[in-house]
Amino acid sequence: MRKTSPLILCILAIALHSCGDYSKVLKSTDSSYRYEAAKSYFAMGHYNRSAELLNDLIIPTKGTDKGEECLYMLAMSNYNGHNYEAAAKTFQRYYQSYPRGTFTEEAYFYSGKSLYENTPEPRLDQTDTYNAVTEFSNFIEAYPNSKYRQEAQRCIFELQDKLVEKEYLSAKLYYDLGEYFLNCTNGGSNYQACVITAQNAIKDYPYCKRREDLSILVLKAKFELAKNSVPSKQAERYQDAIDEFYGFQTEYPESAFMPKAQDMYEKAKKFETHDDEY
């Protein structure tokens, strides 16, 4: 940001602090004074006060040498003040208004960080999480050599884990509902929904931390689907569970879930069909 004399900032900071005349700053019609006061409040860590002053200066400073800095400082004030939704919108406004600005790279990155900080727990709607992943991905594409790249990549992985957790919880809920038919529509099954949800998560995020948990959930759901099927479909579905067991055993031979998987396999084998029986 444009440098202001440290002495001037110090004097202004002391004046603002000792006199406590924030209300006087708000009433002032001197844009330059309000602007320097906003910078002083920012330097002192009074981000909400800084943001309030800067909000009123965006339009008056637009097109001036202070306009760009004012907009970026407002975004940073919102970010540091934990007003992440406002921060994300302001950072985006900055890089859209100043695509080659002094702080464009930082605005791209902190737009993603603002969205990242505002993402909810996995059980809730994850729209903000998807938006944060997109923002970070766009940032990495635009600035592949940025000093912020590693942090952006770390955030993407963490956000993806949150999305996977959301899918895992959904798949597990389907499994726990089991044969509760009121939750099924169009002849479907909760176990089928569990399998589809878990498999899609594995496909979309093949290196996720929940991969093993999702895999055993698929095996368990396929086994339960077979067990609760009508006799005419049981053999085929038990065979599907057996095939799933072989895949799980190959990928996770030392899994803590192996005893349970082996038990399901042994039970399913009793229903296995052989071509030489026909």
Side-chain angles (χ1 to χ4, degrees):
M1 287 181 278
R2 187 172 59 85
K3 298 291 184 180
T4 297
S5 168
L7 179 60
I8 294 176
L9 279 177
C10 183
I11 294 173
L12 187 55
I14 293 172
L16 292 172
H17 179 72
S18 60
C19 298
D21 60 357
Y22 178 60
S23 60
K24 293 181 181 179
V25 177
L26 289 175
K27 293 175 183 178
S28 174
T29 57
D30 186 338
S31 295
S32 295
Y33 173 66
R34 289 165 64 88
Y35 179 72
E36 295 301 330
K39 294 185 70 171
S40 181
Y41 282 125
F42 184 89
M44 290 188 293
H46 298 318
Y47 300 115
N48 290 333
R49 289 186 174 185
S50 178
E52 186 173 6
L53 290 171
L54 291 166
N55 259 318
D56 294 335
L57 292 170
I58 295 300
I59 294 177
T61 61
K62 187 176 182 180
T64 71
D65 58 347
K66 295 178 181 178
E68 180 182 349
E69 184 182 42
C70 187
L71 186 58
Y72 180 72
M73 191 161 54
L74 172 60
M76 287 302 301
S77 293
N78 285 325
Y79 179 82
N80 290 327
H82 308 298
N83 188 358
Y84 297 120
E85 184 176 355
K89 291 179 180 178
T90 310
F91 282 124
Q92 290 166 8
R93 181 178 175 183
Y94 175 91
Y95 68 64
Q96 290 166 0
S97 301
Y98 304 99
R100 292 183 176 82
T102 305
F103 311 107
T104 304
E105 179 180 341
E106 287 80 1
Y108 264 108
F109 172 73
Y110 278 105
S111 172
K113 280 285 282 185
S114 299
L115 291 168
Y116 164 86
E117 295 290 353
N118 206 42
T119 55
E121 62 172 300
R123 294 181 185 276
L124 302 178
D125 178 73
Q126 294 300 307
T127 299
D128 284 343
T129 306
Y130 284 109
N131 290 339
V133 170
T134 299
E135 198 75 358
F136 277 128
S137 298
N138 290 340
F139 166 75
I140 291 175
E141 183 178 353
Y143 299 97
N145 300 315
S146 172
K147 64 180 180 180
Y148 300 112
R149 178 191 172 94
Q150 187 173 355
E151 173 68 5
Q153 193 67 66
R154 183 194 67 78
C155 289
I156 288 176
F157 290 146
E158 189 174 324
L159 291 166
Q160 288 178 338
D161 284 339
K162 183 176 287 191
L163 293 174
V164 171
E165 187 68 16
K166 170 81 170 176
E167 295 305 301
Y168 170 74
L169 292 173
S170 296
K172 189 174 185 303
L173 178 60
Y174 282 127
Y175 180 82
D176 291 341
L177 286 170
E179 289 299 302
Y180 180 63
F181 71 93
L182 291 179
N183 190 60
C184 305
T185 58
N186 299 323
S189 159
N190 288 315
Y191 292 125
Q192 287 175 323
C194 172
V195 169
I196 293 171
T197 302
Q199 287 181 331
N200 284 342
I202 293 172
K203 179 182 177 181
D204 292 339
Y205 308 102
Y207 305 108
C208 65
K209 295 178 181 179
R210 279 290 194 181
R211 183 180 175 91
E212 184 177 347
D213 297 310
L214 289 163
S215 297
I216 191 64
L217 202 53
V218 171
L219 173 56
K220 289 166 63 178
K222 285 188 174 183
F223 178 80
E224 292 296 331
L225 181 62
K227 187 172 72 172
N228 291 280
S229 294
V230 295
S232 61
K233 293 185 177 181
Q234 277 193 320
E236 178 185 354
R237 288 179 173 175
Y238 272 122
Q239 184 61 53
D240 192 22
I242 290 171
D243 293 341
E244 193 67 35
F245 167 79
Y246 288 143
F248 183 83
Q249 184 183 50
T250 299
E251 188 166 3
Y252 304 105
E254 306 298 325
S255 174
F257 298 118
M258 191 52 69
K260 176 64 176 177
Q262 189 72 42
D263 180 64
M264 288 185 288
Y265 168 72
E266 296 297 338
K267 292 176 180 177
K269 285 284 287 183
K270 297 177 182 178
F271 294 87
E272 189 176 25
T273 59
H274 301 281
D275 291 340
D276 56 8
E277 293 179 3
Y278 299 94

